[in-house]
Amino acid sequence: MDPVSQLASAGTFRALKEPLAFLRALELLFAIFAFATCGGYSGGLRLSVDCANKTESDLSIDVAFAYPFRLHQVTFEVPTCEGKERQKVSLIGDSSSSAEFFVTVAVFAFLYSLAATVVYIFFQNKYRENNRGPLIDFIVTVVFSFLWLVGSSAWAKGLSDVKVATDPKEVLLLMSACKQPSNKCTAVHSPVMSSLNTSVITSRERPEAHIRRTIHCIVLSLCSSCPPLSNKFPRVKQGRSRGPCGLPSTRYLPAFPSRHHIPDSGSHSHQVVSNFINIS
C-alpha cells in the first residue's frame, strides 16, 4: 500500500472535516484568488479620433496597462488634427504601492495557510503536544489578519483610482484634438475590470468571518488545559474530550453545592450533586 493510501486509511485527512483545518483550506483558496486575479491582470481600452480632415484621423488608438498599475508610465500617441503632428499622452496615477503590498500579503498568506494545513493534517499530534504550536499559530494569524485588512482596504482605494484613470471619458479629456468641436472623439471599448473586482471581493471575505473563527479555534486549543479561573470554586479535572473545533478540551467538575444533600453513612458529610461542564 502506498504512503498516501496508508495516511488516508489511518484517518489522517479527517482533520479537514474539523473547522480549524477546513477554514485554513478556505483561506488558501481565497489567497490564490486574491493574488492571481490582481497580480496577473492586464487590460486596455481603445479610442477613436475622427478629425475634420479625414486623412489625419486615427480610429484605433490602443492603450494597454497591467499590474502593478504604474499608469503614469503608460504613454501613447494620438493625432492633433493639425497636420501630421502627433501628441504624446500618458495616463494619470500610480497605484503600484497598494497593488504590490496587497499581492505580497496574499502570497505570504497563501504560503502560511498551505504550511498550516499540512501541519494540521500530518503533524496534528505534535501540534497539540503543548501550547507552543497553537500560540505561534495564533500570533501569526492575528498579524496576517491585520495585514490583510490593511492591504485589502488600500487596494480597494487603488482600484477605484485605476478605474477613474482608465475611464475612456477621462482619457479623452487629455487629448488636445478632443477639445475642438470640429473633431469627434469616441471610446471604442472600455477596459474589463471583472477580475480586479474579484480580487477585492475575495480579500474582504477572508478577514471577516474565517479569520475570526480560526482565531477562536486556536484560542480553544491554547485554553484546553487552562487551570480554573478562580480558587473560590475549585474544579476537579475529570478527563479530556474533543471540543467543537476538533481540539482536545478538558472537562471539569465544579464544586458548586446543590440544594439537595445526600447524607453519607456514618458521618455528617454530604455528597455534592454537580454536572460536568466543558470549558470549551
Side-chain angles (χ1 to χ4, degrees):
M1 185 181 293
D2 58 300
V4 177
S5 301
Q6 291 179 355
L7 291 173
S9 61
T12 304
F13 292 96
R14 192 177 303 170
L16 289 175
K17 298 181 180 179
E18 301 172 358
L20 187 62
F22 178 73
L23 291 177
R24 281 295 183 196
L26 286 182
E27 293 164 12
L28 187 69
L29 295 177
F30 279 121
I32 292 175
F33 275 108
F35 72 77
T37 53
C38 180
Y41 178 83
S42 62
L45 62 152
R46 179 172 294 177
L47 306 174
S48 172
V49 178
D50 189 6
C51 301
N53 186 357
K54 301 300 182 182
T55 58
E56 301 172 356
S57 301
D58 191 345
L59 304 181
S60 180
I61 303 173
D62 293 320
V63 183
F65 59 96
Y67 174 85
F69 307 103
R70 294 187 177 93
L71 301 180
H72 65 285
Q73 298 180 357
V74 178
T75 59
F76 55 97
E77 293 185 351
V78 298
T80 60
C81 297
E82 297 176 355
K84 295 183 179 180
E85 184 181 356
R86 296 181 69 86
Q87 178 189 6
K88 191 173 183 179
V89 181
S90 61
L91 299 179
I92 299 175
D94 184 5
S95 301
S96 60
S97 58
S98 59
E100 290 175 342
F101 179 74
F102 174 75
V103 170
T104 301
V105 173
V107 170
F108 280 103
F110 161 77
L111 295 176
Y112 179 72
S113 298
L114 179 62
T117 304
V118 171
V119 171
Y120 296 156
I121 295 176
F122 299 103
F123 305 99
Q124 196 171 144
N125 294 332
K126 293 184 178 180
Y127 176 81
R128 297 176 178 175
E129 281 181 356
N130 49 50
N131 289 340
R132 181 177 300 177
L135 180 60
I136 296 175
D137 195 12
F138 171 75
I139 294 174
V140 176
T141 301
V142 171
V143 171
F144 269 115
S145 300
F146 175 75
L147 293 177
W148 192 281
L149 184 61
V150 173
S152 61
S153 301
W155 170 231
K157 177 60 172 62
L159 177 58
S160 178
D161 295 339
V162 170
K163 289 182 177 180
V164 173
T166 57
D167 186 355
K169 295 180 180 179
E170 298 293 331
V171 178
L172 290 175
L173 296 177
L174 302 175
M175 305 179 187
S176 60
C178 299
K179 298 178 181 179
Q180 302 175 9
S182 58
N183 303 324
K184 184 180 180 181
C185 300
T186 57
V188 179
H189 68 75
S190 302
V192 179
M193 299 286 187
S194 56
S195 61
L196 296 182
N197 294 332
T198 303
S199 67
V200 174
I201 293 173
T202 54
S203 67
R204 291 190 175 184
E205 286 293 331
R206 185 178 187 270
E208 292 298 329
H210 304 296
I211 291 297
R212 184 165 55 248
R213 178 60 178 168
T214 303
I215 292 176
H216 171 67
C217 292
I218 294 173
V219 169
L220 288 183
S221 68
L222 286 171
C223 296
S224 61
S225 58
C226 293
L229 298 178
S230 175
N231 293 326
K232 184 177 181 181
F233 300 103
R235 293 178 291 180
V236 181
K237 188 174 180 180
Q238 294 295 321
R240 302 181 68 81
S241 63
R242 189 171 294 275
C245 293
L247 299 170
S249 59
T250 305
R251 292 179 180 269
Y252 291 93
L253 180 64
F256 292 99
S258 66
R259 296 182 179 179
H260 305 284
H261 302 278
I262 305 175
D264 190 11
S265 58
S267 66
H268 296 287
S269 62
H270 298 86
Q271 179 180 357
V272 178
V273 180
S274 307
N275 297 321
F276 289 98
I277 297 179
N278 192 332
I279 64 171
S280 61

